[in-house]
Amino acid sequence: MDFILPFSQAETLLREEIKNIKECGYFDYKSKNPSFSISDYLENKGIMLGLLIARTKTEERVVLKAFSGALSSSYIVEGFTPPCFSVNAFEEVVSEYDSKLHCYTDRIEMGEEDLIPTRRLLSNECLEKIKELYTFYTINGKIKFSDIKNLNYTTGMGDCATIKLLSYCFKKGFTPISLAEIFFGHDSDTRKDGNLYPPCDEKCKPLIKYLFNIDLLYSDDDIAIINKDAGLLSTPGRGEDKWDSASVRIKALFPDAPELPSCHRLDMDTSGIMVFAKTEKAKREISMQFESRKTEKVYEALLRGVLTKESGTINLPMRLDVDNRPYQIVDFEKGKSALTDYKRVRIEVLNNEKVSRVLFYPHTGRTHQIRVHAASGLNLPIVGDRLYGERKEFERLCLHARSLSFYHPTTGEKLTFTSNPEF
């Protein structure tokens, strides 16, 4: 399971909270409001409960609780973090549309099926107004749904316990430490009472990326795994305009991490899996694995043209072209050994030209190794490679670090993280 934050501390406290709730019979077990009885949830439905441990700017520990959606039709419940919208504004929008929608529904059920498109338009109009009510606080500001491009919005997005907790945490200027979500109530096909679950892929993770300012896939006490966007530096470059990077964003999210938490690098234009260390010990351990080639990496790329061979190995030594930095060249006399296996996935059509989707398995880690081996070893440069091929308008470098395997610096367990490319 991909937990975005360490969960053990929060899980312990949350299970204690759930024990108190069950013993008392009310979710707000301190005030015991009859409206929030747990009986209906145990018999007919369930709800996700979340708990976040955070640290204030004065190094104090705070504990936040939240529930997903509404609790017995209420969004504000004593002891739980509020939703990410104004409840009064929400109720105004609902009251504006509710009676109209019910009227159309009744008429449709009576046989006026020609009203279905009208009702759908009205429902979508209501939904758009509700979406605009949401404000999410992030690690470096705040956003609304309209600020997020290409978001595949689904009903209920923004109402999960995790989103409420993180948004409220950042609103207060806290640092998140440990997070856990447990399902409470009647078992369903997808959820079991008392089970711990990571943030859901459909409604949580698309928003968490923007709350964290980084696409965090997993973290524990020692490591953090991200899916780096193309165009983002791995580490800070020279000059203020090159300071923003994955390392800087990880350090902002985890202030106790090493000053430079990256254990390896990806080219700025390359997207994909990266691992960062949250302790100096973890950084030493993982960096040594990269140096001794104990890690396993898989890259996915689109090559411009048709690759006729299904698989093979490219063995071309490389070195820096000192007169044309950062360009790398093949040099059989002075170059360092560079070995890459490859496997063709399929031939595709991209913008009316044939391209080859290929998996690369590098055995060495030379700068621009896959880019050079594709262009010089296969004579098919990567789509969008402005150094070793060409970049047409609106193209990106179609190279993605698809998979990374390494050994956990503390447990010794072999871990593998994967992500699919956006091309």
Side-chain angles (χ1 to χ4, degrees):
M1 287 188 176
D2 294 335
F3 292 93
I4 56 168
L5 290 174
F7 62 84
S8 57
Q9 293 182 53
E11 180 188 5
T12 299
L13 292 185
L14 183 53
R15 292 198 183 280
E16 291 177 4
E17 288 288 320
I18 290 175
K19 180 182 177 182
N20 291 333
I21 288 171
K22 288 186 174 181
E23 288 178 351
C24 173
Y26 302 95
F27 285 102
D28 60 335
Y29 60 85
K30 292 182 180 179
S31 57
K32 300 180 182 179
N33 186 328
S35 299
F36 306 123
S37 169
I38 68 172
S39 58
D40 190 38
Y41 288 86
L42 293 175
E43 296 172 3
N44 302 309
K45 55 185 176 180
I47 194 167
M48 292 298 299
L49 298 177
L51 186 143
L52 175 68
I53 299 174
R55 189 173 63 219
T56 69
K57 293 179 180 179
T58 55
E59 300 296 316
E60 297 175 279
R61 194 181 82 155
V62 293
V63 176
L64 307 173
K65 295 185 299 178
F67 49 81
S68 59
L71 188 61
S72 300
S73 301
S74 296
Y75 291 96
I76 302 294
V77 178
E78 183 180 353
F80 293 88
T81 56
C84 300
F85 56 80
S86 163
V87 174
N88 289 335
F90 174 82
E91 291 176 346
E92 288 179 5
V93 173
V94 171
S95 64
E96 178 186 352
Y97 286 89
D98 201 35
S99 60
K100 298 176 185 177
L101 289 170
H102 279 303
C103 180
Y104 279 119
T105 300
D106 291 341
R107 291 173 64 181
I108 291 169
E109 290 178 351
M110 292 295 290
E112 296 184 61
E113 295 185 358
D114 58 311
L115 293 176
I116 291 176
T118 303
R119 187 195 186 284
R120 186 181 296 117
L121 286 173
L122 192 65
S123 178
N124 290 339
E125 184 181 305
C126 176
L127 187 62
E128 286 299 317
K129 286 193 175 183
I130 289 175
K131 279 173 56 180
E132 286 305 307
L133 299 179
Y134 285 80
T135 298
F136 304 102
Y137 288 82
T138 75
I139 194 169
N140 58 356
K142 58 184 179 180
I143 57 171
K144 299 179 77 68
F145 275 123
S146 55
D147 298 325
I148 305 175
K149 297 179 180 179
N150 302 319
L151 179 69
N152 185 20
Y153 176 82
T154 59
T155 303
M157 184 177 281
D159 294 331
C160 297
T162 286
I163 299 301
K164 292 181 183 180
L165 290 167
L166 291 173
S167 181
Y168 190 80
C169 172
F170 290 135
K171 179 180 181 180
K172 295 295 184 181
F174 300 158
T175 298
I177 302 298
S178 181
L179 172 69
E181 272 195 277
I182 292 175
F183 184 74
F184 178 96
H186 188 71
D187 290 352
S188 69
D189 293 337
T190 57
R191 295 284 189 265
K192 302 297 180 184
D193 179 45
N195 280 10
L196 181 74
Y197 292 95
C200 62
D201 291 333
E202 299 81 15
K203 298 179 181 180
C204 280
K205 289 186 179 178
L207 287 176
I208 291 173
K209 173 181 178 179
Y210 293 93
L211 268 59
F212 284 167
N213 198 29
I214 196 84
D215 192 2
L216 184 69
L217 303 181
Y218 170 87
S219 76
D220 58 28
D221 292 332
D222 300 289
I223 61 173
I225 308 297
I226 72 163
N227 181 30
K228 188 184 82 68
D229 289 334
L232 178 66
L233 289 166
S234 294
T235 57
R238 294 181 179 179
E240 187 175 341
D241 60 324
K242 294 182 176 62
W243 176 252
D244 184 30
S245 62
S247 290
V248 168
R249 295 185 186 189
I250 285 291
K251 179 65 176 175
L253 186 58
F254 304 112
D256 297 334
E259 197 60 36
L260 193 63
S262 58
C263 301
H264 63 125
R265 297 186 184 190
L266 291 178
D267 293 343
M268 181 179 73
D269 291 338
T270 303
S271 57
I273 298 291
M274 288 190 69
V275 56
F276 294 82
K278 295 172 73 174
T279 69
E280 291 290 353
K281 175 180 177 294
K283 183 173 181 178
R284 287 194 302 272
E285 292 284 342
I286 298 174
S287 297
M288 287 176 61
Q289 291 183 47
F290 278 97
E291 291 175 10
S292 59
R293 301 178 187 175
K294 292 182 179 179
T295 60
E296 297 172 13
K297 296 170 280 187
V298 181
Y299 288 79
E300 186 169 338
L302 289 182
L303 308 189
R304 202 180 297 281
V306 176
L307 178 62
T308 55
K309 292 184 65 176
E310 290 187 2
S311 62
T313 299
I314 305 167
N315 187 358
L316 294 176
M318 299 165 47
R319 69 168 176 85
L320 172 68
D321 183 349
V322 293
D323 296 321
N324 189 23
R325 298 173 183 268
Y327 195 82
Q328 309 289 316
I329 58 175
V330 174
D331 188 331
F332 288 94
E333 293 184 1
K334 299 180 181 179
K336 295 181 179 179
S337 64
L339 189 68
T340 307
D341 293 332
Y342 66 90
K343 180 181 178 181
R344 188 186 69 203
V345 178
R346 60 180 175 269
I347 306 300
E348 304 175 11
V349 175
L350 178 68
N351 297 328
N352 298 318
E353 70 172 316
K354 288 185 178 181
V355 296
S356 303
R357 187 172 294 272
V358 180
L359 297 179
F360 289 96
Y361 307 86
H363 296 280
T364 50
R366 307 303 175 202
T367 300
H368 297 178
Q369 178 173 320
I370 295 174
R371 298 167 69 177
V372 172
H373 277 185
S376 298
L378 301 178
N379 295 316
L380 297 174
I382 297 173
V383 171
D385 192 338
R386 53 189 169 189
L387 280 180
Y388 306 100
E390 65 174 323
R391 176 171 297 182
K392 298 180 180 179
E393 190 176 9
F394 304 118
E395 281 187 343
R396 57 156 286 186
L397 176 69
C398 290
L399 178 62
H400 180 78
R402 179 184 180 85
S403 174
L404 174 64
S405 299
F406 61 95
Y407 296 93
H408 193 280
T410 298
T411 68
E413 176 188 3
K414 186 175 182 179
L415 303 175
T416 298
F417 295 93
T418 61
S419 73
N420 294 322
E422 294 184 353
F423 52 80

